[in-house]
Amino acid sequence: MVIDVVHNTQEVFRTILHCMSRPGTIKNIDGIGSRMEQLEKCHHATFLSVMTLLDAEVSFHIIGGNAAVLEELFTAYTLSTATDLGQADYIFILQDAQPQMIHEVFRRAKKGTLMNPQQSATIIMETKKLSNDPLLTIRGPGIETMENVHIAESELWRFERAEANQEYPLGVDMILIDCQSNMMCLPRTTKFQDCEVS
Amino acid sequence: MQLQTHFALFDEGSKKEIRRAILKAVAIPGYQVPFASREMPIARGWGTGGLQITLSIIGKQDVLKVIDQGSDESVNAVNIKKLVNKTTGVETTIETSEATIIQSRHRIPEVPLTEKQIMVLQVPIPEPLRWVEPSEFKTKKLHAENDYSGAWLLLFEQIMKYGKTVTNADHPVFVHDRYVMAPSPIPRFDNTKMHQSEALILLGAGREKKIYAVPPYTNVNSLAFEDHPFEVESFDGKHCHLCHAATVFMDELINQETGESYYQCNDTSYCLAKLNEQEHMPEVVIEHAR
């Protein structure tokens, strides 16, 4: 058994829940389940998130990488269907996605409606490195005062994310994953504040 | 023949759907996320919302505590505990500090919660505007338009009629300065525990098919007017007749013979812990004193 669909997905969910309710907190899920050999094109933690969140009731869209191969794989394992970027419930941005495509995601992703803000996309994004180095600070619900975060190449999408989330409660929530299977979440309520260098 | 139920009773599809709703609820504090509430082995109105959340989040490593109006021993609490224990094998406890998941009906424990804990509250009526607007479609619209005049008017009318607000429990709160939320019928005394709580608070309404949440370190302010500030139940000069605690929420009991009223901690495990503490008061042993 590569991934125990009962207990491993529960562990992954609790990790996502912990990170989503405490933005900026980094948790590692490398030890959960074992790596699948045919998964060269997406991180182990990304696949674990797929197994945890996706099923026939939701749709997804993949940006970057070998999208066609992964789409087939995700559907085979979860029965979830691939769909257009503007319709997808879960959008996967893989490590090798082009910057202009990332901008496109934040522009076109579902933000929900004022009546139903939950009908919005969750963006699951692969990044090179996540840490709590004091490069940026974030604030918002789930953070006592502020939290330091360093997300590799976040300058590519921070502005677009802020635009997508400017009309709270509309917006997109993010799950960030790095190649060491570290995970960090940024719900729509979290705001970046660039650190001042003194 | 012993039937083998699936871990945590639910099929994995049900868990996934509820988990997705929980994540959205955490991302939009105080907003009621609709979900496909399942038929449960307990009746609607007996904690099905809380139970569905508990079963969807619980894992083998968890330790569960279930309370009902502060009591670990009531029929409702015991049955829910038994059901979860039978289908998951997780340990149960009455010690608040030992639990990782605390499911509760109408109370937040007296022992401060920590960031390792998740508080699950059972909710009968999740819609704070239901008393002023019976239509679900319209209340959703009022939330969308940030129009809470109905909630304010309700409190205003109480002040006009009684000189103060008379919400005994379920006093509405503002979450993250956006959504007005029903904190479930916890006493006003517990509303303040939701503000900047260390633990994540999840609320589930089974019959009404809603899940909502208060993330840790989130502003939760009880609705109140400037000239009528929010007041919690006062137990000034009263103390628990068993453990003598004075700063907790208490039940008023009547002595059948004398007709006098006396008070007792509502949180039974807190009271028990305090009594045990008093039992083992360290005594100074004279002969070892130097």
Side-chain angles (χ1 to χ4, degrees), chain B residues 111-282:
Chain B
V111 177
L113 301 176
T114 69
E115 60 174 35
K116 289 189 168 54
Q117 296 175 312
I118 296 177
M119 180 87 218
V120 179
L121 286 165
Q122 302 168 193
V123 186
I125 296 171
E127 180 50 72
L129 301 170
R130 188 59 70 231
W131 315 113
V132 285
E133 177 50 70
S135 155
E136 170 67 13
F137 180 79
K138 284 184 184 158
T139 50
K140 263 186 97 66
K141 199 161 178 257
L142 291 170
H143 282 291
E145 292 169 354
N146 206 347
D147 177 358
Y148 293 119
S149 45
W152 289 108
L153 198 60
L154 212 62
L155 297 178
F156 177 75
E157 281 177 348
Q158 290 174 1
I159 291 169
M160 287 294 99
K161 214 166 169 179
Y162 307 104
K164 59 178 184 181
T165 57
V166 287
T167 47
N168 282 331
D170 216 351
H171 186 100
V173 291
F174 253 116
V175 183
H176 186 46
D177 301 326
R178 173 57 177 83
Y179 283 103
V180 165
M181 177 189 101
S184 87
I186 53 174
R188 296 193 307 273
F189 189 89
D190 286 349
N191 274 21
T192 47
K193 295 178 189 167
M194 281 193 167
H195 178 66
Q196 294 288 324
S197 152
E198 271 188 46
L200 165 67
I201 302 167
L202 300 173
L203 301 100
R207 186 189 49 220
E208 305 290 321
K209 304 178 173 57
K210 293 282 171 57
I211 284 172
Y212 53 110
V214 178
Y217 307 117
T218 301
N219 288 337
V220 177
N221 300 311
S222 302
L223 266 64
F225 294 99
E226 277 172 23
D227 55 346
H228 277 83
F230 176 70
E231 283 177 4
V232 300
E233 295 84 351
S234 163
F235 298 98
D236 267 358
K238 317 274 192 302
H239 60 81
C240 170
H241 76 111
L242 297 170
C243 71
H244 305 292
T247 54
V248 294
F249 186 78
M250 286 181 262
D251 292 327
E252 185 181 3
L253 305 164
I254 308 286
N255 184 322
Q256 295 295 340
E257 284 158 18
T258 63
E260 281 178 4
S261 61
Y262 61 100
Y263 290 81
Q264 189 175 317
C265 288
N266 171 274
D267 185 338
T268 54
S269 86
Y270 174 85
C271 199
L272 197 63
K274 245 186 115 73
L275 283 169
N276 286 335
E277 228 172 78
Q278 289 159 7
E279 193 87 350
H280 301 116
M281 279 291 204

Side-chain angles (χ1 to χ4, degrees), chain B residues 26-61:
Chain B
V26 169
I28 316 167
Y31 170 73
Q32 301 162 55
V33 181
F35 81 112
S37 181
R38 267 73 187 167
E39 285 293 330
M40 299 302 291
I42 55 172
R44 291 270 191 249
W46 289 82
T48 53
L51 183 61
Q52 287 179 76
I53 291 178
T54 300
L55 291 172
S56 302
I57 65 177
I58 203 160
K60 288 185 289 189
Q61 308 304 320

Side-chain angles (χ1 to χ4, degrees), chain A residues 4-7 9-11 13-14 16-18 20-23 50-58 77-78 89-90 113-122 140-145 168-171 173 175 187-189 191, chain B residues 6-7 12-13 15-20 22-24 26-29 31-34 38 56-60 62 100-101 114-118 137 140-145 176 178-179 196-200 202 215-218:
Chain A
D4 178 333
V5 293
V6 177
H7 300 293
T9 56
Q10 185 273 339
E11 285 174 80
F13 166 72
R14 279 291 281 276
I16 298 174
L17 180 62
H18 186 91
M20 193 64 87
S21 53
R22 293 176 166 78
V50 168
M51 294 297 286
T52 304
L53 298 168
L54 267 54
D55 63 18
E57 291 178 23
V58 291
Y77 273 92
T78 63
D89 299 308
Y90 291 90
T113 62
L114 284 172
M115 287 276 266
N116 287 297
Q118 83 282 4
Q119 290 171 353
S120 56
T122 301
I143 305 166
E144 192 170 9
T145 48
Y168 181 80
L170 309 187
D173 308 310
I175 299 172
R188 66 196 70 185
T189 48
K191 290 195 164 27
Chain B
H6 189 63
F7 181 83
E12 291 306 303
K15 286 183 197 169
K16 261 184 196 174
E17 196 259 343
I18 294 165
R19 286 168 184 173
R20 287 194 295 254
I22 291 171
L23 289 175
K24 287 282 193 228
V26 169
I28 316 167
Y31 170 73
Q32 301 162 55
V33 181
R38 267 73 187 167
S56 302
I57 65 177
I58 203 160
K60 288 185 289 189
D62 281 307
T100 55
I101 297 175
T114 69
E115 60 174 35
K116 289 189 168 54
Q117 296 175 312
I118 296 177
F137 180 79
K140 263 186 97 66
K141 199 161 178 257
L142 291 170
H143 282 291
E145 292 169 354
H176 186 46
R178 173 57 177 83
Y179 283 103
Q196 294 288 324
S197 152
E198 271 188 46
L200 165 67
L202 300 173
Y217 307 117
T218 301

